[in-house]
Amino acid sequence: PTQPAPADTTRTPLGTLSPLLSPMMQRSAAAPRGQPQYSFPILSNTEILQCLHELDIPFSEDHLKNPTPDVISSVFETFILTLLGTSRETLAQPVFGALDCLQFPELHEHSIGVVATHGELQKLMSACGIYDFGVKDYTKPTYQRIRRILSGVLNFVKFREERLVRFQELTMNSEALLEEKNKALAEQQKLEAQLKAILAKHEKQDTEAAALRKEVAELSSDIGELNSAQNKLQKSIKKSKMELSESGEKLSATKFELLSERQEIAHLETLIVSSPDRVRSELEHLQEQLQTEREQIESIEHRTRELSARSEGLTRCQKDLADTLKMMAECERDKDANDTLKSRLRAHRERLDELQSEQTRMETGLAHLVRQVRSMEDKLERVQKQKTEKNTDAQAVYEQLQSDLEVVEREIPIVNAKVDENEAQMRAIKGKMEKMLSEHREEMAALNGSYDELERQVVAYHKDMFSAMSVA
């Protein structure tokens, strides 16, 4: 039968510290309320041994039928290391904060690993559907209990191996998920940068829009005043134009009259012969009229220049008003663009929220995958370590066998000589035995003859004695 693995001398066997465990650890309660009950078939001895062999756990039928604490503790510890992904160092690691609560912590140096191992076993057995597991199962194991426990654990192992197919699929998709996550992160960073730029631009546009609104309000007030002034000026210009037109007509008529008068004066001067005083007085009167008309003409021209200047001012006001209206139109366009940017900003924020939720979901799935990958890597590392140890042991055994073979090959001639010598001695001994048997047969024959003769003599003596006794 296959021998179990040698016990680890650096740890304390589980069965040696059962008095240290609390009554709560001595037995497991039934399945907690609300937790599903699991049922599993009881495997045959052959199936149990085959499954344990596939798991590279040394175990024989004799170990199953006659279990011992050391062998069962070693098997249970292998289950913990293989299925729960923990290590002996983790199990032996104490909780330093709890050591302060113990009066003599050095006395519990070896019990820490036992308690931690028992806790891990409780967790594993609960997952396997064995809710009545206790310390007695590895301190005083029995065939029926060990068979049931191993059936439950191996059923869990088979279930776990079936789930590994799904895990491998998830592992194959993990790289795609990581790449998608990186793309999502890059897109998120890009969108965040765009969002910051949009927010900065939005703040700048809000500031500019506020300044423009203030300026527009001021310009609207100015425009109202200018419109009222324009209306007044237009009325005044219209009136001035009418006055200018009338003055122009009067000026033309006056010029025509003046020309007629000059012609008349020239004609009269040719006719004047007497009364120069009267002519002089008329000329003076005409000159006064001419001066008055000139003054009126100058006043009309001055008024015309003033009206022209006011008309130019109104033209500039109209131009400024057009520029203001154009600026107001641009402000309206900027406002529409700002509203568009706000809607795009809301859309980007919604998209960012969706990406963040997707990122959270992906990070959760990725963390689960990473944990599973680490578990598989740990298992692979343990398998490789076991393989290395087994290869080392096999190499050592092979080298030992090779050296033994060389020693045997060197001893074969000596052994053959000894065999020949022993055969010769056996032949001599056989000869001696045959001779001794022959002599023994002869001696036995002589002894038998002597015995028969002595028997006859004794019989004859008895007869003579009885005859003498009867005569007497």
Side-chain angles (χ1 to χ4, degrees):
T2 306
Q3 295 296 325
D8 190 355
T9 58
T10 61
R11 63 181 177 85
T12 303
L14 293 175
T16 60
L17 292 176
S18 59
L20 299 174
L21 302 175
S22 63
M24 185 179 296
M25 295 176 61
Q26 295 291 334
R27 66 182 184 276
S28 297
R33 182 178 299 176
Q35 184 171 348
Q37 294 279 354
Y38 299 107
S39 61
F40 49 87
I42 303 300
L43 304 179
S44 64
N45 295 349
T46 304
E47 292 175 334
I48 291 174
L49 295 175
Q50 182 180 0
C51 293
L52 291 176
H53 178 70
E54 291 177 357
L55 293 175
D56 292 333
I57 299 177
F59 201 73
S60 65
E61 188 172 2
D62 182 62
H63 296 148
L64 179 61
K65 292 182 177 179
N66 302 302
T68 60
D70 291 338
V71 174
I72 298 304
S73 298
S74 177
V75 172
F76 285 172
E77 185 176 5
T78 304
F79 283 152
I80 292 174
L81 299 179
T82 303
L83 300 178
L84 298 183
T86 185
S87 62
R88 290 190 177 94
E89 292 76 10
T90 304
L91 294 176
Q93 182 69 29
V95 180
F96 295 102
L99 293 178
D100 298 335
C101 301
L102 301 175
Q103 186 176 3
F104 301 102
E106 62 274 5
L107 298 178
H108 301 273
E109 180 178 357
H110 298 291
S111 63
I112 293 173
V114 177
V115 175
T117 303
H118 183 82
E120 295 296 324
L121 280 175
Q122 291 277 37
K123 186 192 301 182
L124 175 61
M125 296 305 170
S126 177
C128 296
I130 303 171
Y131 303 105
D132 57 349
F133 178 79
V135 178
K136 188 177 179 181
D137 291 323
Y138 52 82
T139 56
K140 294 181 180 180
T142 61
Y143 167 68
Q144 296 296 334
R145 286 290 300 170
I146 294 302
R147 182 183 176 190
R148 180 173 179 273
I149 291 172
L150 291 178
S151 298
V153 175
L154 293 176
N155 179 72
F156 174 75
V157 170
K158 292 179 181 178
F159 172 77
R160 181 173 176 269
E161 291 296 330
E162 292 175 357
R163 294 294 181 179
L164 282 178
V165 176
R166 176 59 178 167
F167 170 75
Q168 291 174 355
E169 294 178 358
L170 294 175
T171 304
M172 293 175 64
N173 295 331
S174 62
E175 293 183 358
L177 290 174
L178 286 173
E179 184 177 357
E180 186 176 354
K181 178 191 174 184
N182 294 330
K183 289 182 179 179
L185 289 175
E187 182 68 18
Q188 179 185 359
Q189 293 176 356
K190 183 178 178 181
L191 290 175
E192 287 178 352
Q194 292 180 358
L195 179 60
K196 290 180 181 178
I198 290 172
L199 290 175
K201 186 176 180 181
H202 180 66
E203 291 178 357
K204 183 178 179 181
Q205 288 178 349
D206 286 341
T207 305
E208 293 177 353
L212 288 174
R213 290 191 190 98
K214 184 178 180 181
E215 187 176 355
V216 166
E218 294 176 355
L219 290 175
S220 298
S221 177
D222 295 340
I223 288 170
E225 295 176 357
L226 291 174
N227 285 330
S228 59
Q230 183 183 15
N231 292 329
K232 293 179 180 179
L233 288 174
Q234 285 178 350
K235 292 179 180 178
S236 178
I237 289 170
K238 186 177 181 181
K239 183 178 180 181
S240 299
K241 285 182 177 179
M242 293 177 65
E243 292 177 353
L244 182 61
S245 177
E246 292 176 356
S247 300
E249 291 177 356
K250 288 180 179 181
L251 179 62
S252 298
T254 303
K255 286 181 178 180
F256 180 73
E257 290 178 356
L258 180 60
L259 181 62
S260 298
E261 292 293 335
R262 284 179 179 177
Q263 291 177 356
E264 183 68 22
I265 289 170
H267 178 68
L268 292 174
E269 285 179 352
T270 58
L271 298 177
I272 292 174
V273 177
S274 61
S275 184
D277 296 330
R278 184 177 62 83
V279 173
R280 189 178 296 108
S281 63
E282 289 179 358
L283 287 175
E284 289 177 358
H285 177 69
L286 289 174
Q287 284 179 354
E288 289 177 358
Q289 287 181 353
L290 180 62
Q291 184 66 29
T292 302
E293 290 177 357
R294 283 180 180 175
E295 290 176 356
Q296 289 178 356
I297 290 170
E298 289 177 356
S299 176
I300 291 171
E301 289 178 351
H302 179 68
R303 180 64 176 171
T304 302
R305 285 194 297 271
E306 288 180 354
L307 292 175
S308 297
R310 294 180 68 180
S311 178
E312 290 176 359
L314 287 174
T315 303
R316 286 196 298 271
C317 288
Q318 288 177 350
K319 184 178 180 182
D320 293 338
L321 181 61
D323 294 337
T324 303
L325 293 174
K326 183 178 179 182
M327 188 177 296
M328 290 180 66
E330 291 178 355
C331 290
E332 291 294 331
R333 288 195 297 270
D334 292 338
K335 183 180 178 182
D336 295 337
N338 191 16
D339 294 336
T340 305
L341 288 175
K342 284 183 179 179
S343 62
R344 291 180 60 187
L345 179 61
R346 286 193 295 271
H348 282 302
R349 284 178 177 172
E350 293 175 357
R351 176 61 177 167
L352 182 60
D353 294 336
E354 293 176 359
L355 291 175
Q356 287 178 348
S357 61
E358 181 69 16
Q359 179 185 358
T360 304
R361 185 185 65 79
M362 291 173 63
E363 287 178 352
T364 304
L366 181 61
H368 180 66
L369 289 175
V370 168
R371 287 195 298 271
Q372 291 182 341
V373 168
R374 287 178 180 173
S375 177
M376 291 299 295
E377 288 177 351
D378 294 338
K379 181 179 178 182
L380 180 60
E381 184 178 358
R382 289 195 300 272
V383 171
Q384 289 178 349
K385 185 177 180 181
Q386 292 176 0
K387 178 182 176 183
T388 304
E389 293 176 354
K390 290 182 179 180
N391 289 336
T392 304
D393 295 340
Q395 185 65 26
V397 171
Y398 175 76
E399 293 176 356
Q400 182 65 34
L401 292 175
Q402 191 69 25
S403 62
D404 294 342
L405 179 61
E406 293 176 356
V407 173
V408 170
E409 288 178 350
R410 288 194 300 268
E411 292 179 352
I412 284 176
I414 301 173
V415 172
N416 290 332
K418 288 183 178 181
V419 169
D420 295 339
E421 183 180 354
N422 291 333
E423 289 179 352
Q425 290 178 359
M426 287 178 65
R427 287 193 295 271
I429 291 171
K430 283 183 180 180
K432 290 180 180 181
M433 289 176 64
E434 290 176 357
K435 184 178 179 181
M436 290 175 66
L437 287 172
S438 178
E439 292 176 353
H440 179 69
R441 292 190 190 97
E442 292 176 355
E443 290 177 356
M444 289 298 294
L447 288 172
N448 287 331
S450 299
Y451 177 78
D452 293 338
E453 182 64 26
L454 181 60
E455 185 179 11
R456 285 193 300 271
Q457 290 177 2
V458 170
V459 170
Y461 173 74
H462 285 168
K463 287 181 179 181
D464 293 341
M465 186 177 62
F466 284 136
S467 297
M469 290 175 66
S470 63
V471 171

